[in-house]
Amino acid sequence: MALYKPVVVQTCPRLGERITQDTVYWEGYKAPIQIKEFGAVNKIDFSPVPPRNYAVTASSRIHIYGRYSHEPIKTFSRFKDAAYCGTYRDDGNLLVAGSDEGIIRLFDISGKAPLRQFDGHTKPVHVAGFLSDKYRIFSGGDDYSSKLWDIPSGTEIVSYREHTDYVRCGCASKVNADVFVTGSYDHTVKLFDARTKSSIITIEHGQPVESVLLFPSGGLLVSAGGRYVKVWDVLKGGQLLVSLKNHHKTVTCLCLNSSGQRLLSGSLDRHVKIYSTTSYKVVHSFSYAAPILSLALSPEDETIVVGMTNGVLNIKHRKPEEGKEKSQKKRQPAYRTYMRGKTYMPKQEDFSVSKPVRRALRKYDKLLKSFDSSKALDAVLEPSIRLHTPEVTVAVMQELHRRGTLRSALAGRDEKQINLLLTFVARRVIEPRFTSILVTVADIITDIYQPVLGQSAIVDRQFLRLQEAIGKEIDYQGELLEVLGMMDTLFASFAEKKVTSLEETGSNSPTEIIETDE
């Protein structure tokens, strides 16, 4: 008796994800560590100096985390209400933060009590940061004002009231110690110079501005609001360079990597997009479990920290390269150990004993082996096979058709089974790899169950769906044939014909036609 041959399932090659240098680089992080904060994380800021601690502002506290610590190494909790925008100074010694009380507090990293308190805003202060000279602080609040403060004296230097809505974001220039930027819910971004009494550039973003970012060179400004991330040329008076719309919900935060060649944006759609700053195309993306409010990247790109609306802090550390080197240096068995005896050729006087290879058959193969066609078809119509590997279902149908038992396998089914078959056929018949066999299956089903049409509303509805799917596919094929005919006409018109007549040749030879395609 001949051995049973399992059903051959024809598979189509799948296009894999394109692996780029960015994919390798940004996938080189370990599994994330998650820390639960007391409230939504509205700001994350890394210290500019080693050991690269980072400040996390959430609820009424600012927690300082170490590079690899899972618990805060220091906490600033001198806030009566919510704290905002905890930001380091360039030397890493001071930290400034706004609050719901309208007070700006300045902390020494080595202490606990505030060094200075700046009173002047009448409503919550969501923006606070240092100018690059390290001796002045800028701020912006819900009272529509932007202010500049002197740290040694603790006094207000200048106040700007040009925005007409809440000021919710800002940043300072690293090139010019007098320049800072604020973004507001009035859809504008304003560039201020401390030496003047009014803004020097006003940019219309078009949406409430949630985040602004200046490139290290000071020549480019990035604004985020609504679903848009826009890049502006400051040196050309705020000219729009590019508008990006890659998020599905509001973009809430921006940051640059250490080299300035990649721009990161976080959004309420739970994604972080990474753009190339040369082409401004998305080169990679991360997905998170909750809407994102804040984002920060360590100066060496070794750690990426994301704060979410549910109070969870997500931390990813880059995999150390030393570990890879150690794993490569680990001694492995020699290649000849595995290949021992593989190349031995039996001699003429040797007696070879072949060990039969026993192959485990799948459920549908066992049923086909026992000639139980109906149950074999039922086995491949189970959801785990029908939905995820439809090629297996079609292969079994093709095998039944080859054996001539497809009609008997499809016959004698109840309303639920007919509904299942018609649903599968209507969904997959338009796929070119399945069309040939599924058209045959549809013909057989129609022939068998045509007498019962009108007796079940469910079956009638599935027949109508099948008819609609085939009708749409026929229309598409007709349109494609029309397009193909138009393309042939265009290609034919491009061909240049050169005709050499009898008069031109001056001989009695037949006319010669030379066709050349340019």
Side-chain angles (χ1 to χ4, degrees), residues 236-294:
K236 292 185 178 180
Q239 178 183 344
L240 178 64
L241 294 181
V242 65
S243 178
L244 309 172
K245 190 181 179 182
N246 297 99
H247 287 282
H248 302 297
K249 292 185 179 179
T250 301
V251 183
T252 55
C253 48
L254 299 167
C255 77
L256 284 170
N257 74 331
S258 56
S259 65
Q261 296 179 352
R262 295 294 180 265
L263 173 67
L264 286 76
S265 65
S267 167
L268 296 180
D269 63 3
R270 303 182 295 108
H271 285 85
V272 171
K273 304 284 186 181
I274 304 172
Y275 308 87
S276 167
T277 54
T278 53
S279 63
Y280 292 105
K281 293 182 179 179
V282 177
V283 295
H284 196 69
S285 65
F286 294 110
S287 179
Y288 291 87
I292 297 167
L293 282 182
S294 52

Side-chain angles (χ1 to χ4, degrees), residues 43-261:
K43 177 70 175 180
I44 303 167
D45 191 52
F46 273 91
S47 173
V49 296
R52 308 299 186 191
N53 298 335
Y54 55 94
V56 177
T57 309
S59 185
S60 59
R61 298 172 181 171
I62 300 176
H63 287 153
I64 308 296
Y65 288 90
R67 193 171 182 177
Y68 297 105
S69 65
H70 298 173
E71 296 291 334
I73 59 176
K74 194 175 188 61
T75 300
F76 298 104
S77 57
R78 301 298 180 93
F79 298 91
K80 296 180 181 177
D81 214 326
Y84 300 108
C85 201
T87 307
Y88 277 101
R89 195 167 73 172
D90 287 344
D91 57 7
N93 293 327
L94 297 181
L95 184 79
V96 67
S99 68
D100 249 347
E101 313 152 47
I103 300 173
I104 304 162
R105 291 177 172 86
L106 182 68
F107 297 93
D108 187 346
I109 294 300
S110 59
K112 287 188 176 181
L115 291 178
R116 293 278 191 278
Q117 286 193 5
F118 303 94
D119 299 323
H121 287 280
T122 57
K123 289 186 178 180
V125 178
H126 285 260
V127 182
F130 294 93
L131 294 185
S132 56
D133 62 4
K134 304 179 185 178
Y135 299 108
R136 288 176 292 177
I137 291 173
F138 70 92
S139 64
D142 288 356
D143 56 1
Y144 311 164
S145 67
S146 305
K147 297 179 183 292
L148 206 60
W149 309 86
D150 181 61
I151 294 178
S153 63
T155 58
E156 178 183 316
I157 300 174
V158 64
S159 178
Y160 303 96
R161 195 179 177 86
E162 297 190 17
H163 287 292
T164 57
D165 208 333
Y166 300 155
V167 180
R168 288 298 174 90
C169 55
C171 64
S173 171
K174 296 185 180 299
V175 178
N176 192 324
D178 295 306
V179 174
F180 66 97
V181 180
T182 58
S184 169
Y185 279 5
D186 63 3
H187 302 188
T188 64
V189 177
K190 292 185 180 289
L191 187 74
F192 295 97
D193 190 320
R195 295 164 293 187
T196 63
K197 295 183 179 180
S198 61
S199 61
I200 53 177
I201 296 176
T202 298
I203 296 171
E204 182 67 34
H205 179 82
Q207 300 283 339
V209 183
E210 299 285 351
S211 181
V212 291
L213 177 69
L214 271 172
F215 273 63
S217 63
L220 295 179
L221 171 68
V222 186
S223 62
R227 296 169 56 189
Y228 295 90
V229 175
K230 297 184 179 182
V231 183
W232 312 85
D233 190 338
V234 177
L235 301 180
K236 292 185 178 180
Q239 178 183 344
L240 178 64
L241 294 181
V242 65
S243 178
L244 309 172
K245 190 181 179 182
N246 297 99
H247 287 282
H248 302 297
K249 292 185 179 179
T250 301
V251 183
T252 55
C253 48
L254 299 167
C255 77
L256 284 170
N257 74 331
S258 56
S259 65
Q261 296 179 352

